Amino acid sequence: MIRKLFFNARIFTPTSQGNVELYPKGYILVENGRIVSVGEMDNRQRLLLDGLHEIDLCGATVIPGFVDSHTHSCFGATRESEFNMRLGGKEYLDILKAGGGILSSVRSVESLSEQELFTISSIRVNQMLVNGTTTLEIKSGYGLSTELELKMLRVIDRIGREMPLDIVPTFMGAHAVPPQFKGNPDEYVNIVINDMLKAVKHQRIAKFFDVFCEEGVFSIEQSRRMLNAAAASGFKLKIHADEVHSMGGASLAAEVGAHSAEHLLAASDEGISAMARAGTIAVLLPATALSLRKPFARARKMIDAGVKVALATDCNPGSCYCQSMPFVFMLGVLGMNMSGDEALTACTLNAARAIGKERDVGSLEAGKKADFVVLDCDSPAGLAYRLGSPVISSVYKMGEAVA
Ligand code: NIG
Ligand code: FE
């Protein structure tokens, strides 16, 4: 058995939305990668625990590893040329309508071998790990055919098996309407329901189903049909809801019992109330709002309504190529008026809840994985105070230094 004692750390760990416990002279006792106990160090404990592999953290600040609960980080080519088009005034959805956007990433995934897609994606994921992410949701959705969606999910699964992060795979075959179904999107919806869901279920990699419910992509009615079919096949549900247009995506999430609704830049008051009643988690992506030059989601309104709020990067080649949870944390605090403690909960515990991993990760508690980040600042709010400067000293996954 491998036993480690991390001691002499300022440990901050969330207990519920916006509530964070602090152990000013804290320790974490770890056995085989799992936390046995966390608390305040006193002399007696030092004595009892003598003989362990001891790691002195020299008074540094420690927080749980970040849980990035919404990403499209498995992709091939970047789309910087589209970013330049957007800077020139083109709208994100118009680029997609013209056959670019998500469809251009589909062509890239198609052109790469599985090994190439793995290599490119794992380099990107490693950069996220260096930024403190120890658990990562990754969506498919650059395949849009059974064969290519299964290929993406195999690559996503391999990232989880070969890299020191927990990966949560999401099937997002309903990310866009493939060009051959442009005049008849319902036919593609039927293929998702009748063919793809079965194949993906049989593959046994994806845990969640997600759909891009948006004007010009999938309507509320089409999304509802796919979501209900996915639930019947045993998938947990997520929705890209009210990202650009206020369509009633948040209310749909509540209606179909979705685990989470994501983006929500244009979510209505009714949608937020419906989410609060249904217990739907809000996954907010402020770096996407920034990159699209849109107003941030109304995090305060959601928190005050009793909605559990998570923050994530949305890392993707189109709307938001962000790999940094510290950057997202900073936007939560300075862009959306969240407190440092709320942002910490949103980047860890609530994010773990958003992907069904709260029993394993998201806080530093007995029984969970010893995933944590050592920071070069006095408190979690230092991540916002330092405005994107490098404040991460090291990253631990299951008690092992990985960055
Ligand atoms: O979350 N909105 C849909 N999906 C992604 C963007 C994907 C892309 O443009 O490649 C998002 O913003
Ligand atoms: Fe997304």
Side-chain angles (χ1 to χ4, degrees):
M1 178 186 301
I2 302 171
R3 290 177 131 200
K4 289 183 182 176
L5 177 70
F6 297 89
F7 70 101
N8 196 10
R10 286 171 60 73
I11 300 173
F12 294 81
T13 184
T15 53
S16 61
Q17 182 144 280
N19 292 312
V20 170
E21 180 116 45
L22 164 64
Y23 302 102
K25 277 203 175 302
Y27 75 88
I28 307 173
L29 177 62
V30 178
E31 263 178 27
N32 293 335
R34 294 259 173 189
I35 298 172
V36 176
S37 61
V38 178
E40 271 295 286
M41 201 70 174
D42 62 30
N43 289 336
R44 195 166 158 272
Q45 277 161 329
R46 268 319 286 286
L47 214 66
L48 284 175
L49 298 171
D50 255 2
L52 296 174
H53 180 191
E54 295 189 3
I55 299 111
D56 186 349
L57 292 173
C58 303
T61 293
V62 166
I63 60 171
F66 291 120
V67 177
D68 195 345
S69 56
H70 177 140
T71 86
H72 310 255
S73 47
C74 178
F75 61 85
T78 62
R79 297 185 349 232
E80 198 166 322
S81 57
E82 287 181 8
F83 181 68
N84 276 299
M85 286 158 74
R86 291 202 284 113
L87 295 187
K90 268 242 175 303
E91 288 294 328
Y92 172 77
L93 286 174
D94 290 338
I95 296 172
L96 174 62
K97 217 182 275 172
I102 293 167
L103 299 178
S104 116
S105 290
V106 172
R107 292 189 287 275
S108 169
V109 162
E110 191 171 17
S111 73
L112 295 172
S113 70
E114 221 162 299
Q115 177 62 41
E116 288 166 333
L117 186 59
F118 171 77
T119 304
I120 297 173
S121 301
S122 58
I123 291 169
R124 183 176 303 121
V125 167
N126 191 57
Q127 290 159 342
M128 299 169 97
L129 178 69
V130 169
N131 281 319
T133 298
T134 48
T135 299
L136 179 64
E137 186 256 16
I138 309 180
K139 301 172 198 295
S140 66
Y142 296 128
L144 308 186
S145 68
T146 304
E147 185 198 339
L148 288 181
E149 287 293 318
L150 295 180
K151 167 177 159 181
M152 281 198 77
L153 287 165
R154 280 194 301 274
V155 171
I156 293 167
D157 183 53
R158 184 173 164 199
I159 294 171
R161 281 185 286 108
E162 296 191 16
M163 297 187 70
L165 295 98
D166 279 311
I167 300 290
V168 175
T170 294
F171 166 51
M172 200 173 177
H175 199 187
V177 179
Q180 62 274 33
F181 297 96
K182 205 171 174 188
N184 191 2
D186 280 324
E187 203 180 321
Y188 183 64
V189 169
N190 290 338
I191 290 174
V192 171
I193 292 173
N194 299 323
D195 302 343
M196 290 168 107
L197 276 174
K198 256 186 230 121
V200 173
K201 185 181 176 188
H202 186 250
Q203 191 192 34
R204 297 165 68 102
I205 291 175
K207 305 280 179 295
F208 285 90
F209 174 84
D210 197 346
V211 50
F212 189 12
C213 178
E214 182 56 66
E215 265 184 44
V217 191
F218 295 104
S219 67
I220 288 282
E221 189 41 44
Q222 290 166 338
S223 302
R224 180 185 284 120
R225 282 183 58 214
M226 289 187 279
L227 288 159
N228 285 332
S233 298
F235 291 92
K236 288 189 260 181
L237 307 180
K238 293 181 166 290
I239 309 184
H240 279 58
D242 302 317
E243 176 177 357
V244 183
H245 298 98
S246 189
M247 308 237 309
S251 300
L252 177 64
E255 176 200 313
V256 299
H259 201 78
S260 60
E262 331 225 330
H263 284 287
L264 301 167
L265 300 187
S268 66
D269 289 354
E270 304 81 70
I272 293 171
S273 307
M275 285 177 61
R277 281 194 302 275
T280 318
I281 297 168
V283 178
L284 306 183
L285 310 160
T288 309
L290 186 71
S291 175
L292 293 176
R293 294 171 159 168
K294 304 252 185 253
F296 293 115
R298 294 185 290 161
R300 277 259 60 85
K301 169 108 189 157
M302 294 178 201
I303 291 172
D304 296 343
V307 175
K308 286 193 172 70
V309 168
L311 292 170
T313 61
D314 196 21
C315 179
N316 75 76
S319 63
C320 179
Y321 196 159
C322 173
Q323 296 165 281
S324 167
M325 287 297 287
F327 184 75
V328 164
F329 181 108
M330 183 268 289
L331 291 177
V333 169
L334 297 177
M336 300 199 295
N337 278 322
M338 294 170 77
S339 69
D341 287 352
E342 285 168 344
L344 181 67
T345 313
C347 292
T348 55
L349 185 56
N350 282 358
R353 288 183 174 128
I355 51 175
K357 286 291 242 179
E358 68 275 20
R359 260 183 257 159
D360 263 345
V361 298
S363 60
L364 299 169
E365 286 178 76
K368 290 199 181 186
K369 296 188 179 184
D371 296 358
F372 57 88
V373 179
V374 182
L375 299 178
D376 177 24
C377 51
D378 299 339
S379 69
L383 291 161
Y385 169 61
R386 299 277 294 276
L387 291 157
S389 312
V391 282
I392 293 185
S393 308
S394 48
V395 182
Y396 286 83
K397 180 71 186 171
M398 294 200 80
E400 298 283 339
V402 288

